[in-house]
């Protein structure tokens, strides 16, 4: 459903992505883990069509993001790490605009938007200009806009960062519901516990390359101080685990 | 101490207001394209309405007064010479002259739209456009529509110029001019936006195959810089000195503050050099003052940009006061302007020394007024350097027009602006500009 094929991207002399390839199947939630600067956001931005790769391709629902962007982006939902909006518009106006450019049925989409907003505790603020929104509320709005059309491919860049606990639970449940409905979800996060609970598989990026791909069964066990993925992650970075283990 | 910016609720928007259609329709069909075009049109009108409502009655009245002043000034500036031309050379020549005036307004509108387009291309407002399934042409048209807005106020003085022709020019040419003006305005501002977008859109690397609007958006979001700079030294110094050092570091790197500081230095140097470009003392003095004034204006813009440009989330939690931020900008500006005035007093050969010292001292007050106006506007709008600079140049422009209409009246306007900005400064500083609070 989402296919990353030999993706490479440089910023000047620095390699952000080097020949990255993997696939996210329909109905699967894949976690993307990596240290700061490992290339997670570059990968997600490139997959969402926000920047072209130097080489390689991204196929979303069978459409190449580079050569057939309209059809590919119709299938993609992207929840940005640092979302931006027209601050003068209300949240409802923004969602109505996104719904229109995605050619969705207004009534059904409105109903879905309100239901999701209610579960994220955003409903009372839907008619306020985005200008007054906190960081967490902006992230919720970005997530809501990304899932509004039940995307076949969902790209989440630190999407739940800034969510309060009840909203984070609601968002995770929405992600699971989307996966059950057949969406392919690529979920980037620094919080290994969230990835462990949510994802079926993880891709570990290190210095722009895929260092490891692990299925849930391969994570092993954690210990008193580390979750299973945190151990794998620290091992990959060569950092000594806490407590000198 | 820090309060969230008030965000009054807006009337609920019906989802259908932006258009839409039954789901499942492929993205590439002409129906879907029409829906998206409709959504963009609705977005533009919604934004315009929201901004108009956000200005408030008082600002609308101020704008109307400014437009009225500029229009009245333009009317008489055009009417008097046009009358002479019509009497001595005939109506056809006068019509040609008025056509030139209107053409100048069209070109100015094109320049404003292009400059705004460059700013918008660097930081496009709105969501991640590239993540949405929309055609590049729609986004380009939307950005151009936004860029043309600041050029619209020119219609007021242009209309006044046209009205100045009534009773002097043949009726036929008078009636044809608004149509020609509207058409030229439409064409020139569109062309200016298209050219500006293409000029600023990065064409290097893998983005070169993309349409211009996409290239602009890709390069706008490119924030990664990998060039290293010299390692900073850790010092123990007063807070205002630390802020001044930050200003210096920021102003020496490529970017908006450096461009403004370089412009100020260029004009200040030209002002000194003007003393050696002629013989007539009056002419020399006027040239030097023009260069010095332009330098002060650019320095004020730098101060506005720097004072407003510090990101509030990074700066506001630090234990610094308004006085620290004020002092950090005032001391370097005073040193620079003081040094320049000393050079003006010492170097020029054509005027006696006492007169030159008196001259330099009399220039100090307007220089302080203009640069402090920029600084105070910047400090009253933390996190919004564009708005601070626009307001600053707006006041300077209004002052210039007022002085041309009534000698020295512009200074009165600038003093009023300075007092207003100074009174707002503490409030603006205290108000949080970090979007919202949890």
């Amino acid at each position: 459903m989402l296919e990353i094929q030999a993706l490479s991207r440089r910023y000047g002399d620095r390699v952000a992505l080097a020949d990255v390839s993997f696939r996210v199947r329909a109905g699967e939630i894949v976690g993307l883990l990596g240290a700061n600067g490992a290339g997670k956001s570059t990968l997600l931005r490139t997959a969402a069509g926000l920047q072209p790769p130097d080489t390689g391709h991204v196929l979303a629902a069978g459409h190449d993001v580079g050569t057939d962007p309209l059809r590919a982006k119709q299938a993609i939902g992207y929840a940005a790490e640092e979302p931006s909006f027209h601050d003068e518009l209300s949240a409802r106006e923004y969602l109505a605009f996104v719904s229109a450019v995605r050619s969705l049925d207004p009534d059904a989409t409105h109903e879905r938007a309100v239901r999701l907003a209610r579960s994220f505790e955003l409903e009372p603020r839907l008619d306020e200009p985005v200008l007054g929104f906190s960081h967490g509320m902006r992230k919720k709005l970005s997530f809501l806009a990304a899932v509004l059309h039940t995307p076949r491919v969902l790209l989440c860049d630190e999407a739940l960062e800034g969510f309060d606990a009840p909203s984070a639970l609601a968002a995770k449940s929405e992600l699971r519901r989307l996966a059950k409905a057949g969406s392919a979800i690529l979920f980037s996060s620094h919080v290994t516990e969230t990835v462990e609970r949510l994802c079926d598989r993880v891709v570990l990026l290190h210095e722009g390359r895929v260092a490891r791909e692990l299925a849930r069964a391969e994570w092993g066990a954690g210990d008193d101080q580390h979750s299973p993925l945190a151990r794998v992650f620290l091992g990959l970075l060569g950092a000594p685990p806490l407590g000198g283990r | 101490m820090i309060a969230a910016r008030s965000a009054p609720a807006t009337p609920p928007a019906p989802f259908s207001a932006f258009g839409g259609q039954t789901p499942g329709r492929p993205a590439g069909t002409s129906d879907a394209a029409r829906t998206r075009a409709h959504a963009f049109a609705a977005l533009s009108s919604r934004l315009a309405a929201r901004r108009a409502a956000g200005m408030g009655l008082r600002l609308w009245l101020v704008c109307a007064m400014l437009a009225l002043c500029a229009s009245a000034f333009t009317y008489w500036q055009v009417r008097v010479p046009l009358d002479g031309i019509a009497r001595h050379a005939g109506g056809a020549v006068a019509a040609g002259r008025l056509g030139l005036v209107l053409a100048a307004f069209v070109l100015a509108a094109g320049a404003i739209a292009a400059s705004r387009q460059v700013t918008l291309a660097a930081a496009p407002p709105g969501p991640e456009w590239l993540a949405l399934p929309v055609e590049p042409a729609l986004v380009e048209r939307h950005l151009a529509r936004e860029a043309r807005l600041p050029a619209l106020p020119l219609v007021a003085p242009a209309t006044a110029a046209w009205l100045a022709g009534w009773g002097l020019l043949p009726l036929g040419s008078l009636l044809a001019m608004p149509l020609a003006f509207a058409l030229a305005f439409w064409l020139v501002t569109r062309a200016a936006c298209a050219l500006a977008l293409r000029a600023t859109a990065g064409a290097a690397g893998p983005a070169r195959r993309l349409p211009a609007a996409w290239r602009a958006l890709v390069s706008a979001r490119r924030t990664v810089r990998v060039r290293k700079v010299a390692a900073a030294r850790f010092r123990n110094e007063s807070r205002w000195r630390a802020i001044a050092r930050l200003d210096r570091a920021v102003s020496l790197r490529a970017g908006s503050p450096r461009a403004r500081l370089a412009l100020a230095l260029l004009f200040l140097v030209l002002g000194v050099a003007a003393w050696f470009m002629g013989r007539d003392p009056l002419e020399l003095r006027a040239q030097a003052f023009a260069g010095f004034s332009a330098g002060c204006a650019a320095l004020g813009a730098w101060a506005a940009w720097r004072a407003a440009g510090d990101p509030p989330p990074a700066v506001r939690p630090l234990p610094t006061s308004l006085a620290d931020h004020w002092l950090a900008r005032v001391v370097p500006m005073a040193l620079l302007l003081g040094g320049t005035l000393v050079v003006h007093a010492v170097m020029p050969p054509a005027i006696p020394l006492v007169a030159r010292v008196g001259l330099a001292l009399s220039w100090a007050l307007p220089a302080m007024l203009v640069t402090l106006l920029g600084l105070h506007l910047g400090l009253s709008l933390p996190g919004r350097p564009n708005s601070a600079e626009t307001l600053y140049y707006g006041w300077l422009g209004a002052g210039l027009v007022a002085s041309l209409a009534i000698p020295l009246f512009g200074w009165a306007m600038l003093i009023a602006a300075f007092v207003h900005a100074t009174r707002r400064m503490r409030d603006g500083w205290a108000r949080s500009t970090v979007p919202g609070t949890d």
Side-chain angles (χ1 to χ4, degrees):
Chain A
M1 189 65 84
L2 171 69
E3 210 169 331
I4 310 284
Q5 297 176 343
L7 218 56
S8 295
R9 172 81 190 185
R10 300 175 77 95
Y11 296 116
D13 294 336
R14 194 167 70 77
V15 177
L17 294 175
D19 199 27
V20 171
S21 297
F22 63 91
R23 182 183 294 192
V24 183
R25 288 180 287 271
E28 195 180 28
I29 306 179
V30 171
L32 193 60
L33 280 177
N36 292 332
K40 302 187 298 293
S41 287
T42 300
L43 174 60
L44 286 164
R45 290 175 64 80
T46 310
L50 270 61
Q51 57 189 39
D54 292 333
T55 56
H57 297 274
V58 176
L59 297 181
H63 304 291
D64 192 315
V65 173
T67 57
D68 191 6
L70 276 189
R71 285 178 200 280
K73 287 173 189 177
Q74 193 72 16
I76 293 175
Y78 171 68
E81 185 183 13
E82 294 292 340
S84 54
F85 307 97
H86 281 295
D87 284 350
E88 301 94 332
L89 293 185
S90 68
R92 200 189 304 266
E93 283 173 329
Y94 170 65
L95 293 172
F97 171 71
V98 171
S99 156
V101 294
R102 289 198 177 281
S103 303
L104 305 175
D105 172 37
D107 295 333
T109 315
H110 188 205
E111 202 181 302
R112 176 167 160 72
V114 170
R115 188 161 35 80
L116 284 168
R118 195 174 300 135
S119 66
F120 297 156
E121 295 174 353
L122 201 60
E123 194 194 4
R125 312 286 297 266
L126 273 181
D127 295 313
E128 287 179 20
V130 179
L131 177 73
F133 278 22
S134 67
H135 178 66
M137 287 163 67
R138 285 173 168 256
K139 297 279 290 190
K140 286 178 189 176
L141 181 58
S142 171
F143 183 80
L144 212 161
V147 300
L148 198 60
H149 58 301
T150 318
R152 284 192 278 167
V153 174
L154 179 61
L155 305 166
C156 296
D157 194 355
E158 305 283 348
L160 304 190
E161 181 253 329
F163 276 44
D164 48 53
S167 305
L169 282 175
K172 283 176 204 165
S173 129
E174 177 63 19
L175 287 171
R176 288 196 189 96
R177 198 195 62 76
L178 284 171
K180 262 188 193 161
S183 298
I185 300 173
L186 184 56
F187 182 88
S188 144
S189 176
H190 284 294
V191 187
T192 49
E193 287 83 357
T194 305
V195 174
E196 276 168 12
R197 290 200 187 114
L198 192 65
C199 300
D200 308 307
R201 195 155 59 89
V202 291
V203 172
L204 283 113
L205 276 186
H206 186 54
E207 294 177 351
R209 293 173 191 279
V210 176
R212 292 183 76 174
E213 278 190 64
L214 293 171
R216 182 175 276 277
E218 298 171 279
W219 292 342
D223 54 42
D224 295 347
Q225 291 182 332
H226 302 97
S227 66
L229 276 178
R231 277 193 74 83
V232 176
F233 188 46
L234 288 174
L236 174 74
L237 296 178
L242 287 173
R245 293 179 191 219
Chain B
M1 173 76 178
I2 293 175
R5 192 182 296 184
S6 62
T10 58
F15 251 47
S16 53
F18 287 83
Q21 64 184 57
T22 46
R25 195 83 59 98
T29 64
S30 59
D31 268 4
R34 262 199 298 278
T35 306
R36 285 193 288 272
H38 175 70
F40 270 86
L43 173 70
S44 289
S45 59
R46 196 57 67 111
L47 282 173
R50 195 72 76 238
R51 284 169 192 155
M55 277 174 70
L57 183 64
R58 199 193 299 179
L59 194 52
W60 271 115
L61 284 175
V62 170
C63 290
M65 285 299 292
L66 284 174
L68 200 66
C69 285
S71 301
F73 171 72
T74 310
Y75 180 86
W76 288 113
Q77 290 294 314
V78 175
R79 176 84 182 177
V80 174
L82 210 59
D83 189 26
I85 294 170
R87 281 173 200 279
H88 293 104
V93 178
R97 177 66 177 265
L98 185 56
L100 283 179
V101 171
L102 293 178
F105 275 113
V106 167
L107 289 179
I112 291 171
S115 130
R116 182 70 187 142
Q117 179 73 83
V118 169
T119 308
L120 287 181
E128 289 281 12
W129 294 113
L130 290 167
L132 292 173
V134 292
E135 294 83 351
L138 280 179
V139 177
E140 181 174 351
R141 210 178 303 155
H142 172 70
L143 290 178
R145 214 178 280 155
E146 295 275 292
R148 288 199 306 274
L149 279 179
L152 280 180
L154 282 182
V155 172
T159 307
W162 174 68
L163 285 174
W166 279 88
L168 303 175
L169 308 185
L171 192 63
S173 55
L174 262 179
L175 291 178
M177 271 180 197
L179 295 175
F181 176 80
L183 184 65
F185 194 94
W186 190 83
L187 285 173
V188 168
T189 50
R190 268 166 181 72
C193 288
L195 286 174
L197 190 75
R198 276 152 187 78
T200 48
R208 65 184 177 277
R209 300 181 298 270
L210 300 175
W214 272 191
R215 287 206 311 275
L217 291 173
V218 166
S219 48
R221 301 293 190 201
R222 192 179 55 219
T223 54
V224 181
R225 296 276 185 272
V226 290
R227 200 163 61 86
K228 283 192 177 175
V229 296
R233 270 182 57 202
F234 283 60
R235 300 163 196 265
N236 186 6
E237 59 188 347
S238 58
R239 292 190 295 258
W240 74 265
R241 274 177 184 272
I243 298 167
R245 196 175 298 286
L246 173 84
D247 276 355
R248 201 185 72 168
V250 170
S251 301
L252 291 178
R253 308 260 158 81
S256 302
R258 187 170 79 175
R260 280 149 187 82
L261 188 60
L263 194 67
L265 292 174
L266 176 72
F267 279 122
L268 290 176
V269 169
L270 281 177
V272 173
W275 287 109
F276 303 96
M277 296 176 183
R279 286 171 181 240
D280 177 17
L282 277 177
E283 194 180 302
L284 288 178
R285 195 180 64 185
Q287 285 175 181
F289 184 65
F292 181 70
S293 303
C296 290
L299 195 61
W302 171 83
W305 194 274
R306 274 308 304 135
D310 285 327
V315 173
R316 297 304 297 278
L318 298 174
T320 55
S321 66
L322 176 60
D324 293 325
H325 287 264
W326 186 83
L327 209 56
R329 277 83 194 211
V330 165
V331 171
M333 286 198 303
L335 288 174
L336 179 61
L337 291 177
T340 310
L341 286 174
V342 168
V343 175
H344 274 284
V346 172
M347 281 191 67
I351 301 175
L353 181 64
V354 181
R356 281 184 264 147
V357 171
L359 213 61
L361 286 176
S362 68
W363 290 2
L365 272 178
M368 274 173 58
L369 177 67
V370 168
T371 49
L372 285 180
L373 172 63
L375 175 59
H376 290 192
L377 284 171
L379 287 173
S380 65
L381 290 163
R384 298 161 68 192
N386 262 320
S387 307
E389 192 183 42
T390 306
L391 208 55
Y392 169 69
Y393 276 125
W395 276 117
L396 290 193
L400 192 67
V401 169
S403 267
L404 288 171
I406 305 169
L408 298 181
F409 183 53
W411 290 113
M413 282 192 72
L414 289 186
I415 289 169
F418 172 73
V419 171
H420 180 62
T422 307
R423 287 177 59 188
R424 274 180 48 96
M425 188 167 56
R426 192 166 289 277
D427 280 351
W429 179 257
R431 199 177 58 230
S432 168
T433 53
V434 185
T437 50
D438 275 316

